Amino acid sequence: MADKKSIEELIKLISSGRIGELNEEQKKQMEDHKFWKTQPVTKYDEKIIQEGPIENKTVDDIPNDPLPLIDGFEWCEVDLDDEEQLEELYQLLYENYVEDQSASLRFKYSHEFFKWALKPPGYRKDWHLGVRVKGGKLVAFIAGTPCDLKLTKTGKTLKSVEINFLNIHKKLRSKRLAPVLIKEITRRVNKQDIWQALYTGGQVLPSPISTCRYTHRPINWLKLLETGFSHLPPGKTKSEMVATYTLPKEPLLGLRPMEDKDFDEVFDLFTSFQEKYEIIQIFTKEELKHWLNTKSNVIKPYVIEKDGKITDFVSYYLLPFTVLDNDQHNELGVAYLYYYATNAEENYEQRLKSLIKDTLITSKEFGVDVFNCLTSQDNPLFIEECKFGDGDGFLNYYLFNYKTFPIHGGINAKTREVENKDGGIGTVLL
Ligand code: MYA
């Protein structure tokens, strides 16, 4: 039986999948960051006077050859069109991505998930970067995917990449391999004349442009209890808890699965809606079609149509957990809120609350037991009413080689409680 954990702890694991989260007091001193202090990133407590790149280089300044690796290891490209290599990536991440003390939780990535996350239009195979024991086992990975960013306050657009899925086999930890992977992916991206990157992490590194908090909404509270991840609050009965989280059977606003024919309207609605946030990803139609794939088992887009017009759209992705050592359950269904938009201007807040309530209802169909969202986007407007509870996981957002003024992440800087403020983070990273 898994150790008893609070739901907060579970979500922290689910959400961040990242170890070693440090709070402000615990964060390393800048000079202790032997690697990061050499990189073009904003220093802790650096006062930003002007936004812009930290260093300017040209493609000719960038070496043509990969960085040397320690003896016995070699670089590889993980070919996601090759089922065997996909399986290797799956195994690496399954066994090494999440650090859970009782080792009772594992991300249940599917091959389809990797293809969705890592093969958007314009993806490059050489940005699916792996390290192998020479001629053998895959032991480390890092991925870059193309992404154009916009900082809406200045209107500045940045041709960038998103960096994700950095993972090193447990046996090769603390050997300074991560900096080598980061430098090599940087070299490969720079070679394409791209100089900025967006990435997130639970760790405090120099220096976040924003910090969001994870929140979670139990859908199947009883199962969360049975898997040992939720507890019965003092003074409450099980049936009271179940009743608290029980949702209506059918969506109330008429939410329906998005179809391909809705796409152009969704694209227009979403693109103009996103401008309200300070940092957003600019999607081409082709890219958004990929991210909102209507036939996917991973991403679930929905729309509301009224009088022949799409008025709202919402989406979430599914990334379940395998539960080990539990007599009753072997899987936990987890959904993550992705992008949404509405054309409601009056009663915007109410509309958003109703939209999300309906979204939660639809998720039951896919066996979702807990629905997560961050305090990014306009999520603080509905978090409480839709019964999302504060998690204790925080997600820091970083920009490589670009200084920006801090961006509100939906939490109070001091208390770290959910706080609503216009604007903020409009990008969702997986
Ligand atoms: S976040 C997901 C990260 N993955 C995990 O948490 C999975 C489990 N953990 C592991 O596999 C390992 O612990 C990892 C570190 C691989 C994380 N982001 O090799 P080391 C720095 C940035 O001895 P290890 C995601 O995927 C650390 O501060 N830096 O460490 C986004 C230290 O540097 P310094 C990190 O524990 C990734 C150095 O590495 C992270 O064996 C974005 C220690 O190296 C981290 N998550 O391995 C990457 N963790 O001494 C940056 C540790 O200076 C992208 N470190 O403090 C930057 C943009 C690049 C492209 C630019 C293009 C223009």
Side-chain angles (χ1 to χ4, degrees):
M1 181 72 187
D3 289 346
K4 287 270 176 221
K5 290 187 189 65
S6 68
I7 178 117
E8 286 77 13
E9 195 183 342
L10 166 68
I11 299 305
K12 190 172 163 187
L13 284 166
I14 292 172
S15 55
S16 63
R18 294 151 173 106
I19 56 165
E21 288 184 0
L22 303 176
N23 61 32
E24 283 297 303
E25 293 80 50
Q26 290 169 314
K27 79 183 174 198
K28 285 205 246 179
Q29 295 299 309
M30 192 64 204
E31 56 271 23
D32 294 337
H33 285 291
K34 287 192 175 50
F35 168 62
W36 281 110
K37 73 177 178 190
T38 68
Q39 297 300 298
V41 292
T42 313
K43 298 187 173 40
Y44 291 136
D45 307 326
E46 183 176 338
K47 198 155 174 52
I48 309 291
I49 295 161
Q50 206 182 349
E51 295 195 326
I54 297 167
E55 66 178 23
N56 289 297
K57 286 186 181 168
T58 66
V59 173
D60 290 341
D61 300 326
I62 306 303
N64 289 323
D65 295 325
L67 264 78
L69 269 176
I70 38 171
D71 263 4
F73 294 92
E74 63 185 4
W75 295 111
C76 68
E77 280 170 24
V78 179
D79 182 355
L80 302 179
D81 295 321
D82 178 321
E83 287 298 311
E84 242 176 66
Q85 295 189 40
L86 257 184
E87 185 57 27
E88 282 186 280
L89 180 60
Y90 168 83
Q91 284 301 335
L92 175 74
L93 266 67
Y94 182 74
E95 282 160 18
N96 301 282
Y97 204 56
V98 176
E99 289 285 290
D100 163 23
Q101 272 180 358
S102 63
S104 57
L105 284 176
R106 301 277 172 94
F107 275 119
K108 197 175 177 192
Y109 285 112
S110 59
H111 289 193
E112 189 180 353
F113 188 96
F114 287 135
K115 286 186 176 168
W116 177 65
L118 295 173
K119 285 183 67 189
Y123 81 91
R124 291 183 61 93
K125 285 187 176 174
D126 61 340
W127 293 353
H128 299 154
L129 176 61
V131 172
R132 286 185 186 283
V133 174
K134 254 185 192 148
K137 194 177 160 76
L138 183 70
V139 289
F141 185 72
I142 190 166
T145 45
C147 110
D148 289 348
L149 295 171
K150 182 172 174 187
L151 297 160
T152 58
K153 274 197 170 163
T154 56
K156 179 82 190 157
T157 54
L158 302 172
K159 203 166 170 46
S160 312
V161 289
E162 263 181 36
I163 300 292
N164 208 338
F165 299 106
L166 168 61
N167 193 207
I168 293 176
H169 193 283
K170 282 177 191 163
K171 291 200 170 138
L172 289 173
R173 296 276 169 87
S174 304
K175 297 187 190 311
R176 313 299 299 180
L177 181 57
V180 184
L181 281 159
I182 294 169
K183 281 194 274 188
E184 177 56 16
I185 194 85
T186 303
R187 189 192 68 79
R188 291 175 183 222
V189 171
N190 287 166
K191 271 292 177 200
Q192 301 307 314
D193 204 9
I194 297 174
W195 308 93
Q196 271 77 38
L198 178 68
Y199 52 103
T200 54
Q203 294 89 336
V204 179
L205 302 165
S207 285
I209 57 166
S210 188
T211 302
C212 293
R213 185 168 188 166
Y214 277 100
T215 70
H216 48 271
R217 205 287 183 191
I219 303 291
N220 186 348
W221 184 84
L222 206 54
K223 183 166 165 192
L224 295 174
L225 181 77
E226 286 165 359
T227 40
F229 300 123
S230 196
H231 61 276
L232 189 61
K236 294 273 183 192
T237 64
K238 282 188 197 176
S239 45
E240 277 170 343
M241 292 305 287
V242 170
T244 303
Y245 292 116
T246 297
L247 287 159
K249 280 209 160 47
E250 298 292 333
L252 307 172
L253 291 177
L255 204 58
R256 64 156 171 86
M258 181 177 154
E259 296 170 33
D260 289 341
K261 68 175 169 65
D262 306 319
F263 181 76
D264 284 345
E265 273 189 81
V266 168
F267 180 82
D268 292 343
L269 175 69
F270 174 64
T271 311
S272 55
F273 177 85
Q274 280 290 95
E275 288 286 325
K276 72 202 318 266
Y277 302 122
E278 273 184 57
I279 183 166
I280 57 176
Q281 184 172 349
I282 305 289
F283 295 97
T284 62
K285 275 197 174 173
E286 200 197 351
E287 284 170 335
L288 198 66
K289 249 185 200 149
H290 169 88
W291 293 116
L292 301 181
N293 184 344
T294 55
K295 314 229 166 19
S296 164
N297 294 308
V298 173
I299 174 75
K300 298 289 170 191
Y302 283 82
V303 292
I304 295 174
E305 181 181 341
K306 196 162 179 244
D307 304 329
K309 204 172 166 320
I310 302 296
T311 56
D312 308 74
F313 126 81
V314 64
S315 56
Y316 52 90
Y317 64 91
L318 304 169
L319 178 52
F321 253 96
T322 296
V323 181
L324 305 173
D325 306 327
N326 185 279
D327 301 338
Q328 282 168 285
H329 304 284
N330 54 22
E331 188 172 320
L332 208 59
V334 189
Y336 295 81
L337 187 62
Y338 195 53
Y339 289 108
Y340 56 83
T342 169
N343 71 1
E345 282 171 13
E346 282 165 38
N347 301 326
Y348 170 65
E349 186 170 332
Q350 193 45 52
R351 181 75 178 186
L352 208 53
K353 287 173 179 167
S354 306
L355 183 65
I356 299 302
K357 268 187 211 162
D358 274 9
T359 306
L360 297 172
I361 296 169
T362 66
S363 77
K364 289 193 295 186
E365 189 189 327
F366 307 110
V368 170
D369 300 309
V370 60
F371 201 115
N372 293 334
C373 83
L374 283 157
T375 54
S376 57
Q377 301 157 284
D378 269 343
N379 303 355
L381 292 177
F382 61 76
I383 277 173
E384 194 182 339
E385 180 150 333
C386 292
K387 300 184 180 165
F388 285 80
D390 292 352
D392 57 5
F394 293 88
L395 190 65
N396 302 299
Y397 289 72
Y398 300 96
L399 266 183
F400 186 87
N401 193 26
Y402 204 84
K403 284 183 193 179
T404 50
F405 297 111
I407 296 175
H408 194 254
I411 52 173
N412 181 289
K414 287 210 168 67
T415 63
R416 303 209 134 193
E417 296 294 318
V418 180
E419 180 182 78
N420 179 40
K421 209 173 173 193
D422 269 355
I425 297 283
T427 49
V428 182
L429 279 82
L430 306 178

